Amino acid sequence: MTELPDVGTLLQRMGEDLIALLDREQRTDPAVVGIHTGGAWIAEQLRDRFLPDSPLGSLDIAFYRDDFSQIGLQPGVRPSELPFSVEGRHLVLVDDVLMTGRTIRAALNELFDYGRPASVTLVTLVDLESRELPIRADILGVSLALPRGQRIKLTGPEPLRLTLNPIAES
Amino acid sequence: MSLKSSKLQLNEQGQLRHFLGIDGLSRELLTEILDTADSFLEVGERSIKKVPLLRGKTVCNVFFENSTRTRSTFELAAKRLSADVLNLDVQTSSTSKGETLYDTLRNLEAMAADMFVVRHGDSGAAHFIAGNVCPDVAIINAGDGNHAHPTQAMLDMLTIRRHQKPFEQLSVAIVGDILHSRVARSNMEALRILGCPDIRVIAPRTLLPEGIEQYGVRVFNDLRTGLRDVDVVIMLRLQKERMQRGLLPSEGEFYRQYGLTSDSLALARPDALVMHPGPINRGVEIESAVADGAQSVILKQVTYGIAVRMAVMSMAMAGQTTQRQSRQGAE
């Protein structure tokens, strides 16, 4: 059984690393965008604790997924909300679990339909090291190799916790 | 007439694969359509009003009957989903050369069309196509005869949901030519399924279909009585082109008795919505001041219509896809 790290501890270090990176790259006045659902929870915490003056947005990437022709439309899609102009803005894009990189690809495509951002900094809590696309996080909480037949899930929003669950046989 | 839509329009997983009519659909499914439409409404406010969902799919608008607004909102909806769109004005093309409906559609199918949006003057045309002609193509009913206009009903429901109390607390009046109105039929069904407890129809006896009570509505022949304390007024267009002589004394007489004016609207609740599927006949069923007034959401309906059509088109396309997948999996 893998010991799962504490989310609060991870967030503290990620926030500090993020501030340092934005400073170093001179990415001033950023907006924080979380991907539904887990990414949006983490984005909100990072914003509240480390970037209190930054606007917060959320993305539902259902309309941008690349598996529509295999599995169709996911039920329960919510409107994306970006209450600021993306054009020329530095963006911090936040997701909970980075696996294949396909979600991030979809999110980037969606973001560019709102405008042309100055930069996108990718923050993820967990990297499962099974990427299928050349996408890596700029700021990462933890890299994990999962036991076979298990999946990781972020529960929240309060408190945020990582849990391991067996993959349901379909 | 009974055209059961339910079996035909759902796949084995209970997802939409055609959208033919409201009857037989569950409250959950109607709510899912409205929720999905809410998300598409947000897409319509972006600088780039397009998502890649139906990229590479071909949508044919097959209109056997004219309708500029419905056709253009379907066209815009398909384009915002990144589909390729083919508009066929069938009135002026092959059918006038003697080609049958069947042959026209089979030809389109051979062009690898994935979806037909069908408007036809005969009740049941969309059902017939979905059931007998092209079962693997997703069929969206854009209005068939006096029978159904389900996307209009869903855009009306979205308008009501966004601007009024929950359906369970509403009084809704539908006013005018109920007899010839597929909009009225689909709206009555949708309101009932969504739990609206007080659905009223207001019309002269000559413009009411027989057996109207089966929809669970209250019938009023007097406008002023029927409008009292309603939260929503849905006006219908006086369908002159469908009207046989003798049903009405005159347009002027109809307006005097059933036209929605500032005076008659005052009988409804002060925040009552005024809706109309368009095109409106000013001074025939609705006063200009009311159509353009603060309570009117008639132009909002047009905007919401695009989002609802995007929702229905993407859901039906998805339902066809999963149906095909599961069939291939079974082989």
Side-chain angles (χ1 to χ4, degrees):
Chain A
M1 175 79 197
T2 320
E3 188 66 26
L4 290 174
D6 173 62
V7 175
T9 315
L10 292 177
L11 281 181
Q12 182 61 34
R13 192 176 45 71
M14 289 163 67
E16 288 163 8
D17 290 353
L18 175 63
I19 296 298
L21 182 144
L22 293 173
D23 208 36
R24 194 168 64 239
E25 302 290 331
Q26 295 178 336
R27 296 180 174 178
T28 50
D29 192 23
V32 183
V33 181
I35 299 173
H36 273 305
T37 308
W41 295 334
I42 296 170
E44 189 174 358
Q45 294 224 0
L46 284 176
R47 198 278 304 258
D48 291 353
R49 283 160 65 177
F50 297 95
L51 294 161
D53 298 327
S54 292
L56 180 69
S58 63
L59 284 183
D60 188 317
I61 56 122
F63 299 150
Y64 290 80
R65 296 177 63 102
D66 60 6
D67 51 7
F68 178 77
S69 50
Q70 280 92 49
I71 64 168
L73 197 62
Q74 303 276 59
V77 53
R78 279 142 303 187
S80 295
E81 283 177 60
L82 296 185
F84 48 82
S85 171
V86 164
E87 194 68 34
R89 189 121 201 181
H90 293 289
L91 299 180
V92 175
L93 178 62
V94 184
D95 201 5
D96 50 1
V97 180
L98 178 62
M99 198 159 76
T100 62
R102 288 173 195 272
T103 300
I104 304 302
R105 197 280 310 169
L108 287 171
N109 280 21
E110 177 160 12
L111 282 177
F112 276 74
D113 281 354
Y114 284 88
R116 181 178 184 273
S119 71
V120 179
T121 307
L122 180 60
V123 178
T124 67
L125 185 65
V126 179
D127 187 342
L128 294 182
E129 301 281 3
S130 50
R131 63 178 52 78
E132 293 167 2
L133 298 176
I135 287 173
R136 259 169 227 281
D138 296 301
I139 302 292
L140 176 63
V142 63
S143 240
L144 288 176
L146 291 190
R148 255 185 121 68
Q150 298 277 304
R151 81 164 80 210
I152 198 160
K153 193 171 164 33
L154 182 69
T155 57
E158 199 58 59
L160 286 175
R161 279 185 57 214
L162 286 170
T163 55
L164 272 183
N165 307 93
I167 295 171
E169 294 291 327
S170 58
Chain B
M1 173 193 50
S2 159
L3 286 163
K4 275 291 161 213
S5 309
S6 46
K7 276 236 173 75
L8 200 51
Q9 59 188 346
L10 300 180
N11 68 14
E12 286 154 12
Q13 289 83 37
Q15 303 163 316
L16 214 56
R17 63 190 280 243
H18 305 293
F19 192 49
L20 308 172
I22 301 287
D23 62 314
L25 296 181
S26 67
R27 187 172 185 164
E28 290 68 33
L29 188 64
L30 296 192
T31 304
E32 190 188 333
I33 293 173
L34 296 178
D35 290 346
T36 310
D38 264 333
S39 291
F40 281 122
L41 210 48
E42 184 274 325
V43 172
E45 291 161 6
R46 300 181 189 176
S47 60
I48 297 176
K49 299 170 180 50
K50 221 173 164 77
V51 295
L53 216 47
L54 299 193
R55 208 160 61 92
K57 305 284 187 192
T58 305
V59 174
C60 291
N61 282 326
V62 193
F63 277 56
F64 294 89
E65 208 182 66
N66 260 328
S67 169
T68 309
R69 181 196 340 257
T70 303
R71 209 210 55 200
S72 38
T73 52
F74 266 112
E75 180 174 355
L76 210 47
K79 285 180 170 169
R80 287 187 180 174
L81 292 167
S82 305
D84 296 315
V85 186
L86 203 59
N87 286 313
L88 263 97
D89 190 356
V90 194
Q91 276 183 318
T92 56
S93 63
S94 338
T95 40
S96 56
K97 296 175 192 161
E99 191 179 52
T100 63
L101 169 67
Y102 180 85
D103 289 323
T104 304
L105 293 167
R106 292 307 298 269
N107 272 279
L108 289 171
E109 195 180 17
M111 297 177 206
D114 299 287
M115 174 176 286
F116 294 153
V117 177
V118 182
R119 156 76 57 107
H120 201 286
D122 293 342
S123 299
H127 285 73
F128 175 76
I129 295 163
N132 304 296
V133 185
C134 308
D136 291 332
V137 177
I139 309 294
I140 309 291
N141 185 359
D144 61 330
N146 298 340
H147 172 242
H149 195 351
T151 58
Q152 177 70 44
M154 291 315 292
L155 78 87
D156 288 345
M157 296 308 113
L158 185 65
T159 309
I160 294 171
R161 192 173 82 160
R162 291 182 67 88
H163 295 278
Q164 265 293 1
K165 295 172 286 192
F167 289 103
E168 295 84 352
Q169 301 167 25
L170 288 181
S171 289
V172 178
I174 306 174
V175 186
D177 181 3
I178 311 284
L179 178 63
H180 297 94
S181 177
R182 51 196 173 210
V183 177
R185 271 177 193 69
S186 291
N187 268 328
M188 291 186 289
E189 287 164 352
L191 284 166
R192 187 174 45 73
I193 293 169
L194 290 167
C196 175
D198 184 18
I199 311 168
R200 311 179 189 181
V201 296
I202 307 174
R205 281 191 182 79
T206 48
L207 293 182
L208 283 168
E210 276 179 47
I212 178 85
E213 297 78 13
Q214 70 177 359
Y215 291 97
V217 299
R218 292 204 282 156
V219 178
F220 294 85
N221 298 123
D222 179 63
L223 178 71
R224 304 182 77 84
T225 320
L227 283 184
R228 206 168 296 278
D229 294 329
V230 295
D231 303 288
V232 178
V233 187
I234 301 175
M235 297 303 296
L236 300 173
R237 187 166 64 92
L238 197 60
Q239 307 215 11
K240 286 183 269 190
E241 70 269 26
R242 278 163 210 258
M243 191 81 71
Q244 292 158 348
R245 290 180 167 203
L247 292 177
L248 279 182
S250 72
E251 271 180 26
E253 179 70 10
F254 181 83
Y255 184 62
R256 208 175 55 72
Q257 285 191 38
Y258 293 97
L260 189 67
T261 61
S262 311
D263 279 351
S264 47
L265 180 59
L267 295 163
R269 286 191 183 274
D271 64 344
L273 300 179
V274 173
M275 296 171 49
H276 192 299
I280 59 175
N281 294 317
R282 292 170 186 267
V284 176
E285 70 260 342
I286 189 165
E287 184 188 356
S288 266
V290 173
D292 304 327
Q295 286 167 260
S296 166
V297 286
I298 295 174
L299 292 176
K300 288 221 160 58
Q301 288 174 268
V302 180
T303 308
Y304 297 163
I306 299 170
V308 158
R309 285 166 182 141
M310 289 170 80
V312 168
M313 288 169 123
S314 50
M315 286 170 69
M317 198 76 93
Q320 281 287 3
T321 302
T322 38
Q323 176 78 6
R324 214 166 21 239
Q325 302 277 332
S326 74
R327 200 184 317 138
Q328 281 164 0
E331 274 164 16

